[in-house]
Amino acid sequence: MLARSRCCVLWLGAVLLLAPAVYAQGGFGAIRGAIKDSSGAFVPGAKIAAVDVSTGTRNEALTDPEGNYVLPRLKPSIYQITAEASGFKRLDRKGVEVRVSDNLTVDLVLEVGALSETVTVTGEAPLLRTADAQMGEVITNAMIANIPQLSRDPLRLLVLSGNVQGGGGRAEPGSDTRINGGRTVGLEYRVDGVTAGTGMGHKVVDTTPSMETVAEFKVITNGISAEYGRLSGGAVEVVTKSGSNQWHGQLFEYFQNDHLNANSWQQNSLGGKKVKFSQNIYGGTAGGPVSIPKVYQGQNKTFFFFNYEGMRRRQAGSLQQTSVPTELERKGDFSQTVFNGISPTLFDQNGP
């Protein structure tokens, strides 16, 4: 019994430690709109809720006297919207997708009838963003998982968005990546609402999430709100994966070796053979509800997501070509020294 109590304390402690990180997560979206009846009159005091299909998380709100509502802080997912009001049938709207930093407008119409009756509407959210002037493009998880890239850096896929120039390398001194013609080191990267830039040259840190951990990200190119700062041209808002009611996971390995590679140009030009080389990048992910048999069931309440990535690289030495001082040069005589076919002119600084 004592061992079980200690186990419960450890699990609850872990949940409490994780809770601030969950509530501090950025990249949230919002759903707003108005609720009217069939005659076009606004319905004040209506109860509206958005239910995350993957986790069962419920966000609720009431319409104001003008029939308007706002459901903020919605993580990217598929939602079912329900609306209820006295004297009207219950309305269920399914399949509303909220992506990273979305601000959707979804107006609803209630039909007169008993609350025990339900009207179900299935349809996609509007593609035109009218709540504000923000413009950008979302790089989805399907694109991250399926588009080949040798660097395995999801942030390089920002070049798939419009108004992005350069090769897609992370912002740092020497990088040519820019948005809307802004400064090359002026991009702002945020991971779950926390900036991923450093104070030196606005460089992006190397500890950004791996491909298997990123759910999606948005390249914001215009209409940037006041919550963003320290940027020039645009921002990249990254959202990481999280657990859900369904157990899910994956294992992966990407490998390279000298049997699959050709000889390098330099090694071949010097008459050398291919050097021994092998590289393995491997790991896995796992996520689902926190569940302790006979103690705690986290369905619709508590979730976890775990990710590990490791790399092993082994490479033999390769041939290098260089030069050493000649006998004359060692004696201070540079009269026979030639560089790229040109004999340099030397001057004695201590001379007359």
Side-chain angles (χ1 to χ4, degrees):
M1 187 64 180
L2 182 60
R4 177 178 294 182
S5 300
R6 290 178 178 176
C7 182
C8 293
V9 171
L10 291 175
W11 272 103
L12 290 175
V15 171
L16 291 175
L17 288 174
L18 290 174
V22 173
Y23 284 103
Q25 187 181 38
F28 288 108
I31 300 176
R32 65 184 68 235
I35 298 182
K36 304 177 183 179
D37 60 19
S38 56
S39 67
F42 292 107
V43 181
K47 182 179 179 181
I48 186 166
V51 180
D52 187 340
V53 175
S54 64
T55 63
T57 304
R58 187 180 182 90
N59 293 61
E60 298 181 345
L62 294 175
T63 57
D64 62 17
E66 286 75 35
N68 298 312
Y69 73 90
V70 178
L71 294 167
R73 298 184 64 80
L74 301 177
K75 76 179 187 67
S77 186
I78 304 295
Y79 287 86
Q80 176 178 330
I81 301 177
T82 63
E84 301 176 354
S86 178
F88 295 92
K89 298 178 182 179
R90 171 190 167 110
L91 175 66
D92 286 351
R93 177 160 179 176
K94 300 180 179 180
V96 178
E97 181 180 8
V98 176
R99 300 180 300 182
V100 54
S101 297
D102 259 347
N103 198 351
L104 304 180
T105 300
V106 179
D107 295 328
L108 304 172
V109 178
L110 298 182
E111 297 182 8
V112 177
L115 191 58
S116 58
E117 299 179 89
T118 301
V119 177
T120 302
V121 178
T122 302
E124 297 180 351
L127 298 178
L128 183 61
R129 181 168 179 155
T130 59
D132 55 36
Q134 186 187 106
M135 296 180 62
E137 187 167 347
V138 175
I139 308 302
T140 65
N141 182 257
M143 299 167 70
I144 296 173
N146 296 323
I147 296 178
Q149 54 168 323
L150 185 60
S151 63
R152 280 185 43 79
D153 182 2
L155 297 183
R156 294 187 70 93
L157 293 179
L158 65 87
V159 296
L160 298 177
S161 176
N163 295 332
V164 175
Q165 301 85 37
R170 300 181 178 212
E172 61 181 348
S175 170
D176 67 343
T177 304
R178 55 204 182 278
I179 297 178
N180 287 331
R183 298 180 60 186
T184 55
V185 293
L187 281 70
E188 174 71 356
Y189 294 79
R190 300 207 310 185
V191 179
D192 290 338
V194 179
T195 181
T198 65
M200 182 176 180
H202 211 175
K203 177 183 177 181
V204 179
V205 297
D206 296 328
T207 54
T208 50
S210 63
M211 288 184 60
E212 289 73 24
T213 312
V214 175
E216 61 185 36
F217 65 89
K218 184 173 187 178
V219 183
I220 305 173
T221 56
N222 281 296
I224 300 175
S225 64
E227 65 182 292
Y228 299 93
R230 309 187 313 159
L231 58 84
S232 171
V236 180
E237 186 78 67
V238 183
V239 173
T240 57
K241 293 181 181 178
S242 60
S244 66
N245 283 326
Q246 301 295 324
W247 294 93
H248 55 88
Q250 66 180 122
L251 298 174
F252 63 89
E253 179 171 359
Y254 297 85
F255 71 95
Q256 296 174 276
N257 59 34
D258 53 286
H259 298 291
L260 302 175
N261 296 346
N263 196 11
S264 68
W265 181 90
Q266 179 180 3
Q267 189 77 357
N268 189 62
S269 67
L270 297 176
K273 299 181 180 180
K274 286 193 298 183
V275 299
K276 294 292 184 180
F277 168 77
S278 65
Q279 176 176 286
N280 299 78
I281 301 177
Y282 56 92
T285 64
V290 175
S291 178
I292 307 176
K294 300 181 180 181
V295 177
Y296 182 78
Q297 181 54 253
Q299 289 279 345
N300 295 330
K301 292 180 291 186
T302 311
F303 313 92
F304 77 95
F305 184 82
F306 170 80
N307 172 69
Y308 172 78
E309 179 176 318
M311 185 180 77
R312 298 292 182 270
R313 180 185 178 96
R314 297 163 293 277
Q315 182 172 358
S318 59
L319 297 178
Q320 301 291 328
Q321 187 176 38
T322 185
S323 60
V324 296
T326 64
E327 288 294 334
L328 291 178
E329 290 172 343
R330 293 177 182 178
K331 297 177 181 179
D333 184 353
F334 295 91
S335 60
Q336 305 299 318
T337 300
V338 177
F339 181 75
N340 286 341
I342 300 175
S343 180
T345 302
L346 303 181
F347 298 90
D348 185 2
Q349 298 181 351
N350 298 320

